[in-house]
Each structure stands twice: as C-alpha cells, then as structure tokens.
Amino acid sequence: MNENMTKSIRLALVFGFVGAVGIPLAYECYANVSRLIALAFLVTGAVYVGFKLSKFSFKDAFVAFVFMFVLLAGFTIVGFMIIHPVVVKFLENSSRYYALNVADSVKFFVKTAGIQFLAVGVCVLKSCGKYMIEKFRENSEATGKYIENAFDDEEKF
C-alpha cells in the first residue's frame, strides 16, 4: 500500500467513526427538531468528506469511500442503539419525544445514503474537472503548434 492510500484510509476511519455518531444524532434532530437542519448537517458533512478525499487519486479516494461506507453501515447501527435510548430519556424528561413512523425512518435513511453518495459525486466531479482542464491545455498547445506551423514560409508537400 502506498502512502496516499494509507492517508486516505486513515481519513476514512475518522470520517466513518464521526459519521457513526453523527448519523444517529442527525436522525434524532430530523425527528424532533428540524428536518432541514438535519439534512443540512448531513450535506455539509458529505461535501466536506468529498473535498478532503478528492485530493487523493481516484483509486485511493474510491477505496476510502468504500471503507467509510462499510464502517458507517456497521457502526451507525451500534451508535443508534446507544444514542437513541439516551435521547429518548432526555427528551421525555424535558419535553416530548416525537418518534418517526417506519416510512419516515426509511425516507431518512434513503436520504442519508443519497447524501453520502454526494461525497462520491464531489470527488468524481473534481477528478473529471482536472481531466478536462488537462485535455484543454493539451489541445490549446497543439492548436498553437498547428497555427505556428501553418504560417511557415516553407511549403511542405
């Protein structure tokens, strides 16, 4: 494994563990505080992850994303089993707890998965942007050479 792969996997570990706590907290915020705040939190996190991992090559970033998604899938369930009862107890003591029905819970987790794939999209767009800029520069240089050669005094037939 090269050094960049190691760095990207370390970042994926950090983002996976932070996300494993952040997603259950966003779920509780989605159910009890504001759906917009919870989704904004998730979008901000996904874009941040995308920008941080997009500095690596596409291969290294993709491996890190897959590793992060696996961590999120496993540890979010564990985090939810720990965080949810604490939040329910806290909210029942101080106010009222609003539970989501199954359909709304599924909608939240589908939105969360879609938002996490937004991070992959940011990385892909950055990679495509780099490729397009490189191609544009190469084509500009080639066009400049053709123009210079077109006005040579010597005719080459």
Coordinates of all heavy atoms in Angstrom, one line a residue, residues 135-152:
K135 N -6.8 18.2 -20.6 CA -7.1 18.0 -22.0 C -7.2 19.3 -22.7 O -6.7 19.5 -23.9 CB -8.4 17.2 -22.2 CG -8.3 15.7 -22.1 CD -7.4 15.2 -23.2 CE -7.3 13.8 -23.2 NZ -6.3 13.2 -24.2
F136 N -7.9 20.3 -22.1 CA -8.0 21.6 -22.7 C -6.6 22.3 -22.9 O -6.3 22.8 -24.0 CB -8.9 22.5 -21.8 CG -9.1 23.9 -22.4 CD1 -10.0 24.0 -23.5 CD2 -8.5 25.0 -21.9 CE1 -10.2 25.3 -24.0 CE2 -8.7 26.2 -22.4 CZ -9.6 26.4 -23.5
R137 N -5.7 22.1 -21.9 CA -4.4 22.7 -22.1 C -3.6 22.0 -23.2 O -2.9 22.6 -24.0 CB -3.6 22.6 -20.8 CG -4.1 23.6 -19.7 CD -3.2 23.5 -18.5 NE -3.7 24.4 -17.5 CZ -3.7 24.3 -16.2 NH1 -3.1 23.2 -15.7 NH2 -4.2 25.2 -15.4
E138 N -3.7 20.6 -23.2 CA -3.0 19.9 -24.3 C -3.6 20.3 -25.7 O -2.8 20.5 -26.6 CB -3.2 18.4 -24.1 CG -2.5 17.8 -22.9 CD -2.8 16.4 -22.7 OE1 -3.5 15.8 -23.5 OE2 -2.4 15.8 -21.7
N139 N -4.9 20.4 -25.8 CA -5.4 20.8 -27.1 C -5.1 22.3 -27.5 O -4.8 22.6 -28.6 CB -7.0 20.7 -27.1 CG -7.4 19.3 -27.0 OD1 -6.6 18.4 -27.4 ND2 -8.6 19.0 -26.7
S140 N -5.0 23.1 -26.5 CA -4.6 24.5 -26.7 C -3.2 24.6 -27.2 O -2.8 25.3 -28.2 CB -4.7 25.4 -25.5 OG -6.0 25.5 -25.1
E141 N -2.3 23.8 -26.6 CA -0.9 23.8 -27.0 C -0.8 23.2 -28.4 O 0.0 23.7 -29.3 CB 0.0 23.0 -26.0 CG 0.1 23.7 -24.7 CD 0.8 22.8 -23.6 OE1 1.2 21.6 -24.0 OE2 0.9 23.2 -22.5
A142 N -1.5 22.1 -28.7 CA -1.5 21.5 -30.0 C -2.0 22.5 -31.1 O -1.4 22.6 -32.2 CB -2.3 20.2 -30.0
T143 N -3.1 23.2 -30.8 CA -3.6 24.2 -31.7 C -2.6 25.3 -32.0 O -2.4 25.7 -33.1 CB -4.9 24.8 -31.1 OG1 -5.8 23.7 -30.9 CG2 -5.5 25.7 -32.1
G144 N -1.9 25.7 -30.9 CA -0.9 26.8 -31.1 C 0.2 26.3 -32.0 O 0.7 27.0 -32.9
K145 N 0.7 25.0 -31.9 CA 1.7 24.5 -32.7 C 1.2 24.4 -34.2 O 2.0 24.7 -35.1 CB 2.1 23.1 -32.3 CG 2.9 23.2 -31.0 CD 3.3 21.8 -30.5 CE 4.0 21.8 -29.2 NZ 4.3 20.5 -28.7
Y146 N 0.0 24.0 -34.4 CA -0.6 23.9 -35.8 C -0.6 25.3 -36.4 O -0.3 25.5 -37.6 CB -2.0 23.3 -35.8 CG -2.0 21.8 -35.5 CD1 -2.9 21.3 -34.7 CD2 -1.0 21.0 -36.0 CE1 -3.0 19.9 -34.4 CE2 -1.0 19.6 -35.8 CZ -2.0 19.1 -34.9 OH -2.1 17.8 -34.7
I147 N -1.0 26.3 -35.6 CA -1.1 27.7 -36.2 C 0.3 28.2 -36.5 O 0.5 28.8 -37.5 CB -1.8 28.6 -35.2 CG1 -3.3 28.2 -35.1 CG2 -1.6 30.1 -35.5 CD1 -4.1 28.9 -34.0
E148 N 1.3 27.9 -35.6 CA 2.7 28.4 -35.9 C 3.2 27.7 -37.2 O 3.8 28.3 -38.0 CB 3.6 28.1 -34.7 CG 3.4 28.9 -33.5 CD 4.2 28.5 -32.4 OE1 5.1 27.6 -32.5 OE2 4.0 29.1 -31.3
N149 N 2.9 26.4 -37.3 CA 3.4 25.7 -38.5 C 2.6 26.0 -39.8 O 3.1 25.9 -40.9 CB 3.3 24.2 -38.3 CG 4.3 23.7 -37.2 OD1 5.3 24.4 -36.9 ND2 4.0 22.6 -36.6
A150 N 1.4 26.5 -39.6 CA 0.6 26.9 -40.8 C 1.2 28.1 -41.5 O 1.0 28.2 -42.8 CB -0.8 27.2 -40.4
F151 N 1.9 29.0 -40.8 CA 2.4 30.2 -41.5 C 3.9 30.1 -41.8 O 4.5 31.2 -42.0 CB 2.0 31.4 -40.6 CG 0.6 31.6 -40.5 CD1 -0.1 31.4 -39.3 CD2 -0.2 32.1 -41.6 CE1 -1.5 31.6 -39.2 CE2 -1.5 32.3 -41.4 CZ -2.2 32.1 -40.2
D152 N 4.4 28.9 -41.8 CA 5.8 28.8 -42.2 C 6.0 29.2 -43.6 O 5.1 28.9 -44.5 CB 6.3 27.3 -42.0 CG 6.6 27.0 -40.5 OD1 6.7 28.0 -39.7 OD2 6.7 25.9 -40.2

